[in-house]
Amino acid sequence: TTAELSFWGRMLPQEQLRTGDLVLFGKGTLANHAGIYVGGGRFVHAPSTGGTVRLDRFDSGHWEKQLPRFRR
């Protein structure tokens, strides 16, 4: 589950991100949304179950307020 990804792999600082790393969002300890980092501050994700897969920036608007965390 997305929540279980909160403990998968190891945490990374944003400066060490590489393509394929996980971008996790959530204001508590557990993530409630996840995406895959593709470079340039962008991640690919489906914003809702059954939603269209899209590319967004984790450092702007809604996503920045969701406290992004990174794991490899």
Side-chain angles (χ1 to χ4, degrees):
T1 66
T2 302
E4 291 172 321
L5 290 175
S6 300
F7 306 103
W8 182 83
R10 64 180 174 89
M11 286 184 78
L12 303 170
Q14 181 176 335
E15 300 77 33
Q16 292 182 12
L17 280 174
R18 294 190 308 212
T19 301
D21 289 336
L22 293 178
V23 182
L24 303 173
F25 300 92
K27 293 188 179 184
T29 303
L30 299 178
N32 58 26
H33 191 73
I36 301 170
Y37 185 65
V38 297
R42 300 171 304 153
F43 68 104
V44 63
H45 69 116
S48 60
T49 301
T52 302
V53 173
R54 57 192 256 191
L55 193 60
D56 279 316
R57 295 189 61 82
F58 61 75
D59 60 357
S60 65
H62 171 77
W63 298 112
E64 184 175 41
K65 295 174 189 169
Q66 299 301 312
L67 305 176
R69 300 183 299 268
F70 313 101
R71 298 194 75 85
R72 176 173 303 141

